[in-house]
Amino acid sequence: MGTELPISMKESTDTGGNENGVVNAPVELDAGALFVLKSGGSWLHSGYHLTTSMVSPALLSLPFALALLGWAGGLIGLIVAGLVTFYSYNLLSMVLEHHARLGHRQLRYRDMATDILGNRWGKYLVGPLQLGLCYGGVVAEILLGGQSLNFVYLLSSPNGSTMKLGHFIFLFGTLVLVLAQISSFHSLRHINLVSLILCLAYSACATAGSIYIGNSQNAPIRDYSINRAEEHRISSAFNAISIIITTYTCAVLPEIQATIAPPVKGKMFKGLCLCYGVAVTTFFSVAISGYWAFGNQAMAKTVLANFMGDDKYLLPTWFLLMTNVFTLLQVSAVSVVYLQPINEIIEKKFADPNADQFSIRNVVPRVIFRSTAVIIATIFAAVLPFFGDIMALLGAFGCIPLGLILPMLFYNSTFKPSKLSLIFLANTSIVVVSSVLIVGGALSSVRQILLDLKMYDS
């Protein structure tokens, strides 16, 4: 076929069967699993993929989250969210490893839900949630990429031009369209290594820029009080928590673990350690320096918006240009990572697993349907004025269930810990608190959408 041995056949060879000593029969994989999720990576490669999926330019909004919560609330939120998500992703990885040892390697989030919780969970809840969140993420990244490209152009050509933001969104969408043709998730490993370096680079720039401005003659008057009316503070707190949790979210962890060459035992934990090492370094440095420099005036878009000042740039043009180029390039990698579940669906439906991956039979539909998916996402990015607010709503319904609730349910259903055990009580508590956050985050997002619509109409 021109492809490697099916993953399930490899895993059966490595493990020797299930816990009853019976070797499971090899399962014939579909084209999506064979072509997009082929397993050939190491733990380092999984770390690159994880870092790109989590450490994205969304982290540049963390100073605003601290502005909504204050020093104590913001730092506690960052620490607790980091610990809980790291714990959650490790539970998810342990469940995947457990089923792999039994000879049945789950390759997709919806596979886990179907096998563990039942077909309806995978088909009607987890599958649509993940695909909606990932595709929404692609739209958001294309919008951000277009904005960054627009700003890079204005910095390099101060006189401006007749080009509008929509033009730059379509230009950036063209770049994503080209990158979307890369055949498999594993093939992105080198791009995602560069992405890891880029996120460290622009985070260092954002941190250095904040410190420079905070110590300069143009330093803004810093006020760390929470300047929200009492009736809006609860809503603001939920918004801040949603921003923090969304920043820590990885919606494609099962698909990333599927790219690891078997045996997978212990490899994902190493990849998560690499990812969280980068995440802690970048999240805390940007959040603390940005909030320290601008206080409750930290802007909702990104801390880079604060660098512009009211009437002049607060940093040298070359520095702003460099920072935005780093951001622009990494956004393209993040977009392609979140396209992978969509690409896998496309391959599963339209590719032939019995033909070579690069045969005309498979290449033509791949190019057509992947390009169509990117074009539609680019159009959405160009025409939706409040997509950021819509993503906040989608994040409340998608990020929290996928990142915090489902891993707990998967673990409890798979390993069945005693209801009096510490791990069961911890998992149940996380599910309950996360459910409250979903409701609060959704209400806050709807409220913000209504406020923005009111301002837009006026």
Side-chain angles (χ1 to χ4, degrees):
M1 290 195 300
T3 59
E4 59 179 337
L5 187 66
I7 298 168
S8 58
M9 292 175 65
K10 289 181 176 178
E11 199 63 49
S12 295
T13 302
D14 288 329
T15 62
N18 65 21
E19 59 189 358
N20 296 318
V22 179
V23 178
N24 291 352
V27 178
E28 185 175 352
L29 299 183
D30 56 68
L34 282 172
F35 298 156
V36 178
L37 301 179
K38 64 170 62 176
S39 59
S42 66
W43 71 266
L44 266 176
H45 299 148
S46 71
Y48 304 157
H49 300 322
L50 286 165
T51 303
T52 299
S53 69
M54 182 186 298
V55 189
S56 71
L59 70 91
L60 298 174
S61 296
L62 288 175
F64 175 68
L66 263 65
L68 296 176
L69 293 172
W71 277 118
L75 291 177
I76 290 173
L78 276 174
I79 294 170
V80 171
L83 292 174
V84 172
T85 54
F86 184 77
Y87 169 75
S88 174
Y89 297 146
N90 272 289
L91 291 189
L92 197 63
S93 178
M94 289 170 62
V95 172
L96 288 165
E97 286 188 11
H98 172 77
H99 287 278
R101 285 196 300 272
L102 300 183
H104 180 60
R105 190 172 180 186
Q106 297 159 331
L107 308 176
R108 293 159 279 224
Y109 221 129
R110 63 182 185 275
D111 290 346
M112 297 186 71
T114 298
D115 294 343
I116 299 170
L117 302 178
N119 183 61
R120 291 184 178 181
W121 282 78
K123 186 175 182 180
Y124 298 111
L125 178 64
V126 177
L129 267 182
Q130 186 196 36
L131 291 176
L133 184 62
C134 288
Y135 197 65
V138 173
V139 176
E141 298 300 336
I142 291 175
L143 175 59
L144 179 58
Q147 292 171 340
S148 297
L149 186 59
N150 184 19
F151 190 68
V152 166
Y153 180 78
L154 293 175
L155 283 172
S156 57
S157 302
N159 294 329
S161 73
T162 57
M163 293 183 69
K164 305 295 184 182
L165 174 61
H167 299 139
F168 293 100
I169 291 174
F170 280 105
L171 284 174
F172 185 78
T174 302
L175 171 62
V176 176
L177 187 147
V178 173
L179 293 176
Q181 309 309 322
I182 295 175
S183 58
S184 69
F185 205 156
H186 178 59
S187 300
L188 296 175
R189 62 194 182 280
H190 303 303
I191 290 177
N192 288 339
L193 170 58
V194 175
S195 169
L196 186 154
I197 297 170
L198 288 170
C199 72
L200 289 171
Y202 68 69
S203 297
C205 290
T207 301
S210 295
I211 295 173
Y212 175 84
I213 293 171
N215 288 308
S216 70
Q217 294 180 346
N218 296 321
I221 299 175
R222 292 190 285 272
D223 182 1
Y224 300 118
S225 62
I226 303 175
N227 60 354
R228 296 291 188 279
E230 193 67 34
E231 63 270 20
H232 299 319
R233 286 195 178 184
I234 295 178
S235 175
S236 297
F238 275 113
N239 281 336
I241 293 170
S242 296
I243 290 170
I244 293 172
I245 292 176
T246 302
T247 306
Y248 276 108
T249 294
C250 172
V252 290
L253 187 142
E255 287 78 7
I256 291 174
Q257 188 152 328
T259 67
I260 299 177
V264 299
K265 183 174 175 58
K267 294 179 181 178
M268 201 62 171
F269 178 76
K270 295 179 181 178
L272 280 167
C273 288
L274 172 62
C275 172
Y276 270 79
V278 176
V280 169
T281 301
T282 54
F283 290 8
F284 281 81
S285 61
V286 171
I288 293 172
S289 63
Y291 185 47
W292 170 79
F294 302 106
N296 57 26
Q297 299 304 312
M299 294 192 180
K301 293 181 179 179
T302 68
V303 71
L304 302 185
N306 285 100
F307 294 172
M308 306 300 107
D310 295 328
D311 53 0
K312 65 177 181 178
Y313 298 149
L314 302 180
L315 291 168
T317 301
W318 65 266
F319 187 87
L320 295 172
L321 183 62
M322 177 179 66
T323 304
N324 277 273
V325 168
F326 290 156
T327 305
L328 170 69
L329 293 174
Q330 206 239 355
V331 167
S332 62
V334 177
S335 302
V336 179
V337 164
Y338 277 99
L339 270 172
Q340 295 311 303
I342 291 93
N343 291 344
E344 184 272 322
I345 289 287
I346 290 171
E347 297 284 297
K348 181 177 180 179
K349 288 187 175 297
F350 300 106
D352 181 2
N354 297 312
D356 187 83
Q357 181 179 6
F358 301 104
S359 64
I360 296 297
R361 163 65 184 82
N362 286 330
V363 168
V364 171
R366 178 184 306 136
V367 171
I368 291 174
F369 290 106
R370 289 190 184 190
S371 300
T372 301
V374 175
I375 290 170
I376 293 173
T378 303
I379 293 172
F380 273 122
V383 302
L384 289 178
F386 307 123
F387 192 76
D389 295 338
I390 296 172
M391 268 306 294
L393 181 61
L394 183 60
F397 285 111
C399 294
I400 296 176
L402 292 176
L404 298 179
I405 295 179
L406 285 168
M408 309 301 152
L409 298 180
F410 289 160
Y411 184 91
N412 287 350
S413 298
T414 299
F415 294 103
K416 296 179 172 55
S418 167
K419 293 184 178 180
L420 298 178
S421 65
L422 181 60
I423 192 167
F424 181 87
L425 294 175
N427 292 351
T428 304
S429 299
I430 290 173
V431 170
V432 172
V433 173
S434 298
S435 301
V436 174
L437 292 177
I438 289 176
V439 176
L443 292 176
S444 298
S445 299
V446 170
R447 173 181 172 274
Q448 189 60 47
I449 291 172
L450 294 176
L451 290 175
D452 287 344
L453 283 171
K454 185 177 180 180
M455 291 179 61
Y456 184 76
D457 291 337
S458 61

